[in-house]
Structures are given as C-alpha cells and as structure tokens.
Amino acid sequence: MRRLGVLISLGVLLSVSVTLAACGGSSSSSGTSTTSASGKPLTIGISLSLSGDFSDPGHAAQKGYQLWAKTVNAHGGINGRQVKLKIVDDASSPNQVVTNYQNLITRDKVDLVFGPFSTLLTGPAASVAHRYGYAFVEPAGGGPAVFQEHLNNVFFVQPAPTLNCGDPFVAYIKSLPAAQRPKTAAYPSLDDPFSSPIADRMQKAFEAMGIKTVYKTIYPSETADLTPVVEKYVAKKPDMVVAGTQSEDAYSQVKAMVQSGFSPKYLFLANGANSPTEFPSKVGKKNTEGIFSCGDWFPTSKSNGNPQFVAAYKQAYGGTPFDIDSTSAEAYAVGQLIQAVAKKTGKVDNKTIISSLHSGTWPSVEGNISWNADGSPQGSDMLLEWVGGKLQPVYPPNVALTKPTSPKPPWGG
C-alpha cells in the first residue's frame, strides 16, 4: 500500500506543480479566464490531491470548486470580477501541499486561497495561509489537529467537526433496546489525524454503555494490506466493528472481511463508505448493504442553494443526485461563503472575510454554519447507511429518508 512514504516520494516527483484547471465559465484547463469589464479576475489558489491516496476525494472537491466558479461567473462573478481558479496537485503529500500554498501566495500572488482535502494536509496548509494573513476557508480538514493550531483564519465548512462524525451512530446504538445492542466491539484505525480520533471517541462512548472492547489497533499509514489486521479482530468475533478509516484502508478492510467470510452485526467506517460512487466500485455493490458511515450533506437537503447545486451538478457531470460525492458539495459551499461575504460587505479581501465569518451564521448547501474562534463548526452530522443499494441518511429521524437496518446482512459476494 502507498501512504506517506510513497506520498513523500510522489511529492518530490511532482514538485513542479501543474496548473490543472481554471474556471471562467468554460471547461478549459489552460488557466485562462474571462475578465469582466469592471476589473481583473479574482484569482483563487487551491492545492488538491489529484494523485496519491486522496485522489478520489480530491477529484470530487475539484468538481465542486469548478462548478461553483462556473456558476458564479455565469451570474457576473463576485463584485463584478470573474473568478479564476488556479488548482495545483499536491499528490496527497503534506510536504507538497506546503510548497503549493507558499508558491500560490508568494509567487503567483493569488487573491484568495481555498483549502485542500483531508486534515493531514489542511493543518500545515492553514499555517502557511495564516502566516501571510490569508483566510483559509476549507471543505475537508475537520480533525482535532487543525483546530488545535488555534488559527483565526480557519473555517471548516461542514456542520460539525470531524471528531464528532461517529456521534449519530453512537446515539442510534443507544436508542436500540438493550437486547439488540452489540455486546463486544473492535476498533481498527488508520494512524491519521482524521481517522483514529473518531474511533477513540466512539470507543469511549460505547464502553460507557457497557460494550466490551475485544480488539483495538492503530495501523501505520503505509500499511498496504489490511488482511493481517482483519484476521486478528475476526478471531475475536466482535458483534460490532468501528473502524477509523480513510478511503483505501476502508476498501481493504471490507475486501479482507469478505474474503474471510466474517460479517459483523454492525459495521461503521468513518470514511470511504460515505462515497456513493467510489465505495461500491471498490468493494462490490453487493457488499455495501448494511454498512454505516457519517455524512454532512445529502442531495435532498433544502439547505441554501442545494437544489440549484444538485441541478447544476447533474447538468455538468451527469448521473443522478445520489451519485454526487459530498466532497463536491463541501467544496461548492466554500465558494458560497465567499459570495455571501462579498454580497454583505461589498468587499472580498482576506481581512474582511476573516472578520465577517467570525460573526453570525452563514447559510450554504452544507446548512447554516457558525464557528468558534478556532474555526470548528458548531452543528452535527447525520448517520448514513447503505440500504437497498443506496447510501441514505437513516438517523436522526428528522433527517432520515429510511429507517436504519440491523443486523448487517451477510456479504453479497
């Protein structure tokens, strides 16, 4: 498997960043844009994982950013300025993402920067932006490591901090009659600032409910094959597996469980299983049924601008609303907030963005969001489950499209 060791190598190989796309109301990837009569373009620099371990969500974020830019430019831009995106590849590398934002700010002199994908990359990237007084509105870096930096320029554009991702699942298990609750649990987690803290928080809550821990491990990020880890917890026969995962390791754990024939009564994957397109393609659509994950957005939401976002996404990329990766919505919401600040203040500079977002609540496709001083949002996520071949919100009841199903059915093959 790849992970950090390889990522660092890839980061060196890709040290010459490639400008991949720019949106000026066209699908051009040349970096050109349309300039309005009233001024120069508003250039926004973004580092995304378009190769390496985070490339699947990185491409989803790219779609969201580009769709927002295309949409806003079609309506006259921001304060009369057309938006130009300068997107560069960080190869999923913490070293490369620092180089990219340093170059975007000091060499390319972009007007604004938007965030990358993952807590692992957002933390060091936010520090670079803070050093130069840039606002860092970001879609997918909500782990504790980001907020522990206490940077006033960070705004995580999801309803809840990543650490709380498992809270709806804990609440669901707690809502079950005692006889239906799991008695034992295993907690295999990736050594990643996004992943393991989620499982740790859930383990503490489940132990307080009397659910016995029979296995726990944090495996290195460079672990290629999760079969040995899965074999260890399969031997313990836990009722429930709560895995703090990213994407590739989530796929690997499911494949190893399918191969072993072990299907726990309850299976929660922090990340990976919440991708409506990538997850079934990687583990097999018949093997998704009954798997839980967490989510911050859903296509049927009536949040600000969401129906328009879903319609525009379908027109631009095809598919159905249920094929849209939430990472695309998260990236789109980042742009919405900048629009909202510009509309409210008439300005679009970094100082105004930072001061404005620290006050009040801001509507977006991700819902109405407000933050504490460190950029951590103050809302809550929802519980998702694969039911009937679709990823659907199942808890809490006020957002659910269908009831949760348990125990998990056997693997489909």
Side-chain angles (χ1 to χ4, degrees):
M1 189 165 172
R2 293 162 289 174
R3 293 292 177 192
L4 289 185
V6 175
L7 295 179
I8 292 171
S9 298
L10 285 171
V12 173
L13 291 171
L14 296 173
S15 60
V16 180
S17 299
V18 181
T19 300
L20 288 163
C23 287
S26 74
S27 59
S28 170
S29 60
S30 65
T32 58
S33 73
T34 302
T35 305
S36 77
S38 59
K40 65 177 183 179
L42 181 71
T43 304
I44 301 172
I46 308 167
S47 179
L48 284 177
S49 302
L50 301 174
S51 58
D53 277 16
F54 304 145
S55 61
D56 287 345
H59 282 284
Q62 182 184 30
K63 285 184 175 180
Y65 280 140
Q66 291 181 330
L67 183 61
W68 168 75
K70 182 178 180 179
T71 302
V72 73
N73 284 341
H75 291 82
I78 293 183
N79 291 350
R81 298 172 65 180
Q82 292 282 290
V83 170
K84 175 184 177 182
L85 301 185
K86 184 175 180 63
I87 299 178
V88 292
D89 183 14
D90 55 42
S92 308
S93 162
N95 292 337
Q96 189 61 46
V97 79
V98 168
T99 299
N100 285 353
Y101 280 105
Q102 186 81 30
N103 288 339
L104 288 166
I105 293 171
T106 63
R107 184 192 66 193
D108 302 330
K109 301 187 184 306
V110 297
D111 297 296
L112 306 174
V113 291
F114 287 173
F117 178 85
S118 85
T119 292
L120 186 66
L121 305 189
T122 296
S127 295
V128 174
H130 183 265
R131 188 182 313 147
Y132 295 100
Y134 275 61
F136 205 70
V137 188
E138 50 97 357
V146 172
F147 310 124
Q148 288 168 0
E149 294 296 321
H150 305 300
L151 302 175
N152 74 332
N153 63 326
V154 171
F155 301 93
F156 176 49
V157 187
Q158 293 189 27
T162 299
L163 182 63
N164 299 11
C165 159
D167 289 3
F169 182 65
V170 172
Y172 163 61
I173 293 296
K174 198 170 186 177
S175 74
L176 296 174
Q180 294 182 23
R181 296 177 191 169
K183 303 296 187 294
T184 57
Y187 301 90
S189 294
L190 174 71
D191 186 7
D192 175 278
F194 164 88
S195 307
S196 58
I198 295 173
D200 291 346
R201 178 182 171 94
M202 297 173 73
Q203 180 184 1
K204 185 176 181 180
F206 284 133
E207 287 180 344
M209 293 166 56
I211 298 173
K212 182 182 178 182
T213 298
V214 295
Y215 180 80
K216 174 185 174 65
T217 192
I218 296 178
Y219 46 86
S221 56
E222 63 269 20
T223 305
D225 183 0
L226 270 295
T227 300
V229 171
V230 172
E231 287 177 342
K232 289 180 180 177
Y233 66 69
V234 167
K236 302 290 184 180
K237 299 180 179 179
D239 293 335
M240 176 172 68
V241 175
V242 173
T245 54
Q246 281 285 2
S247 299
E248 295 293 338
D249 58 315
Y251 308 151
S252 182
Q253 283 202 49
V254 170
K255 291 175 182 176
M257 277 188 275
V258 172
Q259 189 169 13
S260 72
F262 172 71
S263 180
K265 293 178 180 177
Y266 300 90
L267 174 57
F268 177 92
L269 303 174
N271 202 19
N274 49 13
S275 172
T277 53
E278 293 299 326
F279 188 60
S281 72
K282 296 297 174 63
V283 305
K285 189 173 182 179
K286 294 181 179 179
N287 292 323
T288 61
E289 200 70 11
I291 297 178
F292 291 97
S293 189
C294 67
D296 53 275
W297 171 88
F298 207 70
T300 56
S301 169
K302 303 301 181 186
S303 55
N304 179 50
N306 196 55
Q308 293 82 1
F309 162 71
V310 171
Y313 187 100
K314 286 174 57 183
Q315 184 175 21
Y317 304 119
T320 74
F322 293 95
D323 294 326
I324 302 174
D325 193 305
S326 63
T327 305
S328 297
E330 294 154 11
Y332 186 93
V334 168
Q336 279 187 299
L337 294 181
I338 302 306
Q339 270 184 276
V341 170
K343 183 178 180 180
K344 182 175 182 179
T345 66
K347 301 177 182 178
V348 70
D349 61 276
N350 285 286
K351 185 176 180 180
T352 298
I353 292 169
I354 292 171
S355 62
S356 297
L357 292 181
H358 273 301
S359 177
T361 298
W362 296 81
S364 74
V365 297
E366 288 282 311
N368 297 326
I369 308 176
S370 61
W371 301 266
N372 68 11
D374 300 326
S376 177
Q378 305 297 292
S380 60
D381 285 329
M382 66 185 87
L383 178 63
L384 305 178
E385 185 181 16
W386 284 90
V387 180
K390 292 182 179 179
L391 184 63
Q392 305 192 57
V394 296
Y395 199 87
N398 65 320
V399 300
L401 291 183
T402 187
K403 293 182 179 179
T405 62
S406 62
K408 177 190 173 303
W411 302 111

